[in-house]
Amino acid sequence: MMKPVYILSASAISPQHTFDREQFLQPVMSSDNGKLYVVEADYRQYVNPVAIRRMSKVIKMGISTAMNALQQAGISCPDAIITGTGMGSMLDMERFLKDMIELKEEALNPTYFIQSTYNSINGWIALQTKCNGYNQTFVHRGLSLELSLLDAQLFLTEAEEKQTVLAGCFDEMTEEYFFIKNKIDYWKKEIPNSLDLIRHSNTKGTIGGEGAAFFTLTNERGNAICAIKEIKTFQDAELSEVQSGIHELLQAHHLNPNDIDVLLCGMNGDCRQQAVYDMALQEVPTPTVTTFKQLTGEYATASGFAVWLASEMIRTQQVPETITYRKSNTEAIKNILILNHYITGSTSLILISQA
Amino acid sequence: MEDLKVKLKEQIIEALNLQGMTPADIDDNAPLFGEGLGLDSIDSLEMMVLLERNYGIKIEDAREGRKVLESVQSMAEYIQQHRKI
């Protein structure tokens, strides 16, 4: 078993007011059109002003959350930068591909090409922080964030002295992406208000979303907010495999199902993806169950928002009303189990505990 | 020539996304790189694409390119002599 990694700071840009952190998930944002776009931040505070003019939204989101997480932790240059993204900079990729067609592959803009690459954000962060260390971007659809956290855990477990890793994820939604995915039934035909999403789990489809989340991780407890104890990933798994995975995870950490104070589920209102959550609700009979995709919409790295949310719940010892699926008066929030499933067949379990 | 310079400035502002700038903010003879507009190497590539797309001009010699991209004035003069569109 790998050692836990400690979260020193967490930052998120999401369709909710998560970046300014004045009030925990207040005011709540919603939408009626099946799409949840991020509440944008004042990027100029975090991004090189000369370079910002040519950046697309996801790049500004990624760099700003990364720099904000580092600032909160009081770290100017991490030892490694490890990120995950399902789709990378979609907008730049779309522009580049359209130009290729329209201009018959001639006189193509270099900026769109450079920024369409998945590791573009990591490059920008490395330039801004002058970080020459390990730099990696994982692109594995619904497990991209999880694999970046696993790699960070490996990096920090192998380190012989105190090290810090900046880990995070980012994904954006474009009109084109929404249109294409609609053709393969990703989205709900009858669109509910986003806040009612979970109540519509008897029909196919979900709503689209986007966001970025970054974490400063380290291998020494110090003044950490919380710890990531374990990350388990499954691809195209049978329900019984995930079920066994939950038991193995709890056993490995000497926990009973009752020791999980909050179960944080990635339910997205899609009846085709509900079974894994129904199973977990039986296996982990915790009185407090929460959901988050009514706030973020669905995207490949939505679990990054869940990790941010878990760290905030432990930091503030609060469970906001807006994420409550089932609630009782939990005395203290010590252990949170995140369960997330993505439409491409990936499932993940992340155990977050008090440091 | 004056019309060409104004149009060129508009194209530069759009291609490089120089937010908040107007053609009047760009001096004809001010250096585009370094002190002047503070553009960088990626911008120089964008300007080469701009010349190719809008005027059919392909500059393959880097030294020549550096001279052409010195200022709006030098760009406009080069365009006048070599444009194909």
Side-chain angles (χ1 to χ4, degrees):
Chain A
M1 191 168 71
M2 278 193 283
K3 293 177 191 168
V5 295
Y6 298 97
I7 298 182
L8 284 175
S9 65
S11 179
I13 288 179
S14 74
Q16 303 300 321
H17 289 275
T18 48
F19 196 66
D20 45 31
R21 288 166 55 104
E22 277 176 18
Q23 278 186 297
F24 191 12
L25 291 179
Q26 288 294 327
V28 180
M29 306 297 282
S30 65
S31 100
D32 288 310
N33 64 3
K35 301 169 196 166
L36 279 166
Y37 291 106
V38 297
V39 176
E40 298 205 57
D42 180 8
Y43 301 125
R44 283 167 199 277
Q45 286 185 39
Y46 300 95
V47 185
N48 178 341
V50 177
I52 199 169
R53 64 188 155 83
R54 65 167 82 97
M55 290 178 181
S56 62
K57 185 171 76 176
V58 72
I59 295 178
K60 290 186 276 194
M61 275 160 50
I63 298 173
S64 298
T65 42
M67 298 309 290
N68 182 255
L70 287 174
Q71 275 180 18
Q72 285 181 50
I75 287 165
S76 55
C77 178
D79 296 297
I81 300 168
I82 307 174
T83 64
T85 180
M87 307 301 289
S89 180
M90 287 282 291
L91 194 63
D92 284 311
M93 196 174 357
E94 285 171 9
R95 284 174 178 162
F96 184 69
L97 292 175
K98 275 180 193 165
D99 277 0
M100 274 181 83
I101 295 164
E102 281 169 19
L103 301 166
K104 299 186 171 45
E105 299 186 23
E106 288 197 4
L108 299 170
N109 292 80
T111 300
Y112 300 151
F113 170 66
I114 295 165
Q115 295 186 165
S116 69
T117 55
Y118 295 115
N119 57 355
S120 173
I121 292 178
N122 277 41
W124 279 113
I125 298 167
L127 282 171
Q128 275 203 211
T129 57
K130 298 186 171 57
C131 173
N132 297 314
Y134 180 68
N135 194 311
Q136 190 71 259
T137 303
F138 288 86
V139 186
H140 296 272
R141 294 187 274 186
L143 294 176
S144 304
L145 180 268
E146 286 79 353
L147 295 179
S148 75
L149 292 178
L150 270 172
D151 197 31
Q153 198 175 16
L154 278 168
F155 182 93
L156 291 169
T157 299
E158 284 183 350
E160 285 170 5
E161 52 195 38
K162 185 180 177 185
Q163 301 250 285
T164 54
V165 173
L166 177 70
C169 58
F170 41 83
D171 270 301
E172 70 180 334
M173 178 173 51
T174 64
E175 287 295 329
E176 204 80 41
Y177 172 80
F178 194 85
F179 174 76
I180 292 168
K181 294 297 183 187
N182 195 37
K183 291 187 170 185
I184 50 170
D185 286 339
Y186 258 42
W187 319 123
K188 282 205 180 293
K189 302 289 179 214
E190 284 180 30
I191 303 165
N193 180 279
S194 54
L195 297 177
D196 294 328
L197 180 67
I198 311 303
R199 280 197 280 276
H200 289 73
S201 296
N202 54 347
T203 56
K204 278 198 250 177
T206 182
I207 58 172
E210 59 178 13
F214 271 83
F215 310 94
T216 312
L217 307 175
T218 185
N219 47 357
E220 286 185 12
R221 182 180 286 127
N223 54 349
I225 303 170
C226 56
I228 301 176
K229 290 277 185 71
E230 185 151 0
I231 304 141
K232 269 189 181 293
T233 60
F234 308 85
Q235 184 61 44
D236 300 321
E238 296 290 335
L239 215 51
S240 57
E241 288 177 60
V242 182
Q243 192 174 17
S244 305
I246 293 175
H247 290 293
E248 284 164 19
L249 182 147
L250 294 174
Q251 264 176 12
H253 295 276
H254 311 293
L255 295 171
N256 290 315
N258 291 334
D259 294 326
I260 298 297
D261 303 300
V262 178
L263 178 64
L264 179 48
C265 295
M267 288 178 202
N268 66 359
D270 189 333
C271 61
R272 297 167 295 183
Q273 298 172 59
Q274 185 62 26
V276 71
Y277 300 110
D278 290 339
M279 176 275 292
L281 288 172
Q282 299 231 324
E283 297 300 317
V284 187
T286 167
T288 304
V289 179
T290 54
T291 62
F292 63 93
K293 285 182 186 161
Q294 72 276 23
L295 302 181
T296 63
E298 181 66 288
Y299 56 99
T301 51
S303 50
F305 180 86
V307 174
W308 173 87
L309 191 54
S311 71
E312 280 296 285
M313 281 195 272
I314 287 181
R315 188 178 72 83
T316 61
Q317 289 293 302
Q318 283 179 42
V319 178
E321 205 59 45
T322 185
I323 61 168
T324 302
Y325 180 80
R326 190 168 78 197
K327 190 179 179 183
S328 81
N329 293 325
T330 310
E331 280 182 15
I333 305 171
K334 291 180 189 163
N335 297 302
I336 299 177
L337 182 62
I338 300 170
L339 168 64
N340 190 49
H341 181 78
Y342 190 64
I343 195 163
T344 51
S346 51
T347 308
S348 65
L349 292 165
I350 304 175
L351 177 65
I352 305 225
S353 301
Q354 266 184 341
Chain B
M1 183 70 159
E2 287 310 307
D3 287 349
L4 174 61
K5 282 194 275 189
V6 172
K7 191 167 182 197
L8 185 57
K9 287 176 189 176
E10 285 169 355
Q11 288 166 338
I12 291 171
I13 289 168
E14 193 194 335
L16 307 185
N17 197 16
L18 300 173
Q19 290 158 353
M21 285 196 94
T22 65
D25 298 326
I26 304 175
D27 190 298
D28 291 357
N29 295 299
L32 293 169
F33 296 87
E35 319 148 15
L37 284 184
L39 305 182
D40 60 21
S41 58
I42 295 174
D43 294 315
S44 72
L45 291 170
E46 291 285 358
M47 303 257 257
M48 299 292 237
V49 172
L50 182 156
L51 290 174
E52 192 177 341
R53 258 192 215 179
N54 297 294
Y55 304 100
I57 295 171
K58 255 189 185 175
I59 304 173
E60 277 161 14
D61 179 353
R63 254 182 271 170
E64 188 186 14
R66 208 170 296 159
K67 277 187 188 171
V68 174
L69 299 181
E70 258 177 23
S71 65
V72 169
Q73 182 68 32
S74 62
M75 282 179 80
E77 283 169 8
Y78 193 86
I79 290 167
Q80 220 168 29
Q81 288 167 27
H82 298 89
R83 69 184 301 167
K84 289 174 186 153
I85 302 173

